[in-house]
């Protein structure tokens, strides 16, 4: 089964040649933006495959030969991207089947989300796909984005939407607009996305198929989902149980309320279902539920850096150079069901002996506002060696006058590498703080802008580690 799903899904992410059906030279049109995406990535040396525009009314676009029919396409075509009006899609699928292309992304909307006529078109397309062994992403979606291979079917031009760098996070979204907005936001936040899939009405390829594929994708450490509803509950649960033994899955499930469920139904034709059922399914299968998109990416960031360094328990140690921030973090520890670690006598003694009299050893440990990087090193050393501490939250207010920014960044990244305990950092501030936070993240330490978000991300690591220990 593993080989089959990997082989079926590969052309979506790394095709030998892509046919863009509905490609056009009219700027701003969906078919033109998708063609431009591939063309630009080809020119940048990222997309290594061939690009075949298909349009019966054109001979060439930007120097590329345009194919009048699908039948004319070269035989290396293994991915077709469709952006033509919905009523023409079934006949196009028949031509694709005849040509032997096995992977199709249908960008076009106007299907099941619009009612019975659209559902009828979907059934026809699915029948053709099933009879001919074709896998379909969509319809009513923005498709796929893979920075490493240059696949980019997101029909929003780079002038309107930034693309994020590559990273070990997969992002799967039922909503195309949400997917595009999240890519744009991830680019601004410096979060790396290895693969994005927007599947819209998920006529064929669904969450379960993607989970089964990502189990075997070594470039992905954590999978995030925006879900409006699940069509095949049993299939979803089986796939979720398989992947969560290997890598974490985070789900942001909308349609929690009566109003949201109604909106989801009109958006992608999803049956949102009772929210309590989803809660139970997520708990049973080890999926971590995110409260909002910020929480989803906070968790993803933590797992991307620390998937192989999960906490051995729920006892949190807090180090800070601001007393108020330490109090806020302590409140968050209680709020998210964690415990404040009780430092061993040896640790407290070690800190007292190495701290100036006005620094406060304990949990939280307050290195106070005249701290330098060395005082942080002493505190982190003590916490790392304390058997009563399972995970460490280090709050760094970069604004304090004697703190050497480069040194504290090096110290945190050094301990992140050599310690078997996960460390997350909290850095509150503005542009200057953000600059240092980015450098710290490049070195493998996830950084959060508030104590609450840092502790909440750590709580996700603890929860997943508990699930794995249970071995359900």
């Amino acid at each position: 089964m593993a080989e089959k799903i990997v082989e079926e899904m590969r052309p979506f992410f790394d095709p030998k040649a892509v046919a863009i059906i509905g490609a056009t030279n009219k700027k701003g049109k969906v078919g033109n933006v998708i063609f431009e995406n591939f063309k630009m990535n080809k020119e940048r040396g990222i997309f290594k495959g061939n690009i075949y525009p298909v349009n019966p009314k054109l001979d060439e676009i930007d120097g590329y030969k345009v194919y009048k029919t699908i039948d004319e396409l070269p035989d290396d075509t293994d991915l077709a991207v469709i952006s033509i009006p919905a009523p023409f899609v079934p006949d196009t699928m028949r031509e694709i089947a005849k040509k032997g292309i096995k992977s199709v992304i249908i960008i076009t909307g106007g299907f099941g989300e619009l009612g019975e006529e659209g559902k009828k078109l979907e059934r026809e397309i699915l029948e053709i796909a099933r009879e001919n062994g074709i896998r379909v992403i969509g319809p009513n979606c923005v498709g796929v984005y893979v920075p490493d291979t240059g696949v980019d079917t997101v029909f929003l031009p780079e002038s309107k939407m930034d693309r994020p760098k590559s990273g070990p996070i997969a992002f799967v979204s039922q909503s195309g607009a949400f997917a595009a907005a999240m890519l744009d936001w991830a680019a601004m936040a410096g979060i790396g996305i290895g693969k994005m899939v927007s599947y819209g009405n998920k006529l064929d390829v669904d969450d379960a198929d993607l989970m089964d594929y990502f189990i075997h994708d070594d470039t992905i450490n954590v999978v995030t989902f925006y879900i409006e509803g699940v069509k095949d509950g049993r299939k979803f649960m089986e796939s979720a149980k398989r992947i969560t033994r290997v890598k974490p899955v985070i789900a942001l499930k909308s349609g929690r309320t009566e109003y949201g469920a109604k909106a989801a139904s009109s958006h992608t034709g999803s049956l949102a279902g009772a929210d309590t059922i989803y809660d139970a399914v997520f708990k049973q299968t080890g999926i971590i539920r995110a409260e909002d998109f910020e929480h989803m990416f906070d968790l993803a960031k933590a797992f991307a850096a620390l998937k192989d360094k999960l906490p051995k328990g729920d006892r949190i140690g807090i180090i800070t150079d601001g007393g108020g921030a330490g109090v806020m973090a302590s409140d968050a520890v209680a709020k998210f069901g964690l415990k404040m670690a009780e430092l061993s006598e040896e640790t407290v003694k070690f800190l007292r002996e190495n701290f100036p009299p006005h620094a406060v050893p304990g949990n939280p440990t307050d290195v106070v506002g005249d701290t330098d990087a060395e005082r942080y090193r002493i505190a982190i050393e003590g916490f790392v060696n304390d058997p009563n501490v399972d995970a460490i939250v280090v709050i760094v207010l970069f604004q304090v006058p004697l703190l050497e920014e480069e040194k504290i960044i090096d110290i945190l990244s050094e301990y992140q590498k050599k310690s078997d305990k996960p460390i997350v950092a909290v850095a509150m501030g503005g542009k200057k703080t953000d600059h240092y936070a980015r450098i710290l993240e490049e070195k493998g330490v996830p950084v959060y802008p508030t104590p609450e978000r840092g502790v909440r991300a750590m709580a996700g690591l603890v929860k997943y580690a508990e699930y794995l220990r249970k071995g359900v």
Side-chain angles (χ1 to χ4, degrees):
M1 179 190 163
E3 282 177 17
K4 184 172 184 280
I5 193 81
V6 170
E7 199 46 45
E8 281 179 352
M9 304 294 275
R10 184 199 54 75
F12 289 120
F13 305 112
D14 189 15
K16 296 187 186 82
V18 59
I20 301 159
I21 299 162
T24 173
N25 52 10
K26 290 175 184 165
K27 298 292 175 195
K29 288 275 192 182
V30 171
N32 180 259
V33 176
I34 295 169
F35 168 76
E36 288 285 336
N37 290 347
F38 278 99
K39 176 175 163 272
M40 276 193 297
N41 284 337
K42 181 85 171 167
E43 286 165 2
R44 289 167 180 154
I46 307 167
F47 184 67
K48 303 284 196 279
N50 291 316
I51 303 166
Y52 304 136
V54 179
N55 187 323
K57 295 173 184 169
L58 295 173
D59 295 319
E60 64 95 34
I61 306 173
D62 291 350
Y64 278 77
K65 176 188 172 180
V66 176
Y67 294 84
K68 305 283 186 188
T69 66
I70 289 162
D71 189 50
E72 286 175 28
L73 286 166
D75 291 339
D76 63 344
T77 312
D78 54 353
L79 173 64
V81 181
I82 298 177
S83 65
I84 57 174
F88 301 107
V89 174
D91 281 342
T92 300
M93 282 294 291
R94 287 185 187 92
E95 290 173 43
I96 284 168
K98 197 175 161 196
K99 185 67 189 172
I101 300 165
K102 299 295 183 190
S103 304
V104 178
I105 301 172
I106 305 174
I107 304 293
T108 315
F111 289 94
E113 75 278 12
L114 293 187
E116 202 41 56
E117 195 54 44
K119 282 179 184 157
K120 194 176 154 195
L121 282 176
E122 279 188 5
R123 285 194 293 271
E124 197 178 343
I125 291 163
L126 186 59
E127 201 176 302
I128 297 161
R130 293 269 154 89
E131 278 174 9
N132 294 279
I134 299 169
R135 298 310 309 261
V136 178
I137 287 177
N140 185 29
C141 70
V142 299
V144 176
Y145 168 75
V146 188
D148 289 337
T149 62
V151 172
D152 184 352
T153 67
V154 181
F155 54 83
L156 302 161
E158 286 188 11
S159 60
K160 289 183 179 282
M161 188 201 100
D162 285 331
R163 268 65 171 168
K165 63 182 180 179
S166 182
I169 300 169
F171 175 51
V172 180
S173 173
Q174 199 153 357
S175 162
F178 185 73
M182 286 305 94
L183 288 179
D184 200 16
W185 177 83
M188 181 196 69
I191 293 170
I193 303 289
K195 289 182 174 71
M196 184 286 295
V197 181
S198 143
Y199 51 39
N201 296 6
K202 52 181 168 181
L203 176 69
D204 172 39
V205 171
D206 60 12
D207 323 81
D209 294 316
L210 291 163
M211 284 190 278
D212 282 335
Y213 173 80
F214 286 128
I215 289 173
H216 308 285
D217 187 339
D218 295 335
T219 67
I220 298 299
N221 283 353
V222 53
V223 182
T224 58
F225 281 96
Y226 167 73
I227 297 174
E228 289 178 1
V230 170
K231 285 178 181 172
D232 187 337
R234 188 179 296 277
K235 182 184 171 191
F236 179 89
M237 286 182 75
E238 285 169 0
S239 297
K241 282 178 182 171
R242 279 193 289 273
I243 191 171
T244 52
R245 306 309 311 170
V246 184
K247 49 187 83 171
V249 175
I250 301 156
L252 174 58
K253 163 72 177 64
S254 64
R256 301 187 82 146
T257 63
E258 183 192 339
Y259 296 140
K262 195 175 173 186
S265 174
S266 63
H267 177 216
T268 52
S270 275
L271 292 169
D275 197 63
T276 48
I277 295 170
Y278 282 94
D279 241 357
V281 166
F282 292 157
K283 280 186 184 124
Q284 207 178 324
T285 57
I287 290 175
I288 297 161
R289 184 166 193 169
E291 296 303 312
D292 49 46
F293 91 85
E294 210 167 54
H295 186 204
M296 178 171 71
F297 280 108
D298 281 353
L299 287 167
K301 200 158 68 165
F303 279 115
L306 300 167
K307 181 179 89 73
D308 299 321
K309 198 180 285 207
L310 295 173
K312 293 181 172 62
D314 60 358
R315 300 167 301 173
I316 309 300
I318 295 164
I319 299 166
T320 181
D321 58 353
V327 174
M328 288 160 70
S330 304
D331 277 342
V333 165
K335 180 177 178 180
F336 299 117
L338 304 171
K339 295 188 187 85
M340 288 292 281
E342 286 188 30
L343 299 186
S344 68
E345 285 177 28
E346 289 87 343
T347 303
V348 175
K349 184 168 176 275
F350 168 77
L351 296 177
R352 276 216 179 94
E353 285 171 357
N354 289 282
F355 276 175
H358 60 289
V360 187
N363 193 19
T365 278
D366 188 353
V367 294
V368 299
D370 67 349
T371 191
D372 58 7
E374 189 53 36
R375 207 179 295 168
Y376 265 106
R377 182 194 288 281
I378 292 159
I380 296 167
E381 177 74 20
F383 278 52
V384 159
N385 291 323
D386 192 322
N388 297 341
V389 177
D390 296 313
I392 305 165
V393 177
V394 182
I395 301 166
V396 183
L397 303 176
F398 280 102
Q399 298 88 344
V400 299
L402 300 177
L403 186 63
E404 313 94 328
E405 296 89 359
E406 285 178 15
K407 273 192 187 173
I408 185 60
I409 287 168
D410 287 343
I411 287 167
L412 278 163
S413 62
E414 175 199 331
Y415 276 97
Q416 185 78 286
K417 285 189 190 88
K418 71 182 186 184
S419 164
D420 64 348
K421 296 176 184 179
I423 297 170
V424 305
V426 172
M428 294 186 281
K431 280 184 184 173
K432 291 181 178 67
T433 294
D434 187 56
H435 169 71
Y436 297 123
R438 294 284 178 102
I439 298 169
L440 197 45
E441 291 200 321
E442 290 291 331
K443 291 177 178 277
V445 182
V447 185
Y448 299 93
T450 66
E452 180 160 293
R453 281 174 64 183
V455 173
R456 185 168 68 159
M458 188 65 88
L461 295 177
V462 170
K463 194 174 177 183
Y464 181 59
E466 281 171 359
Y467 170 77
L468 290 180
R469 277 196 295 276
K470 279 181 197 162
V472 179

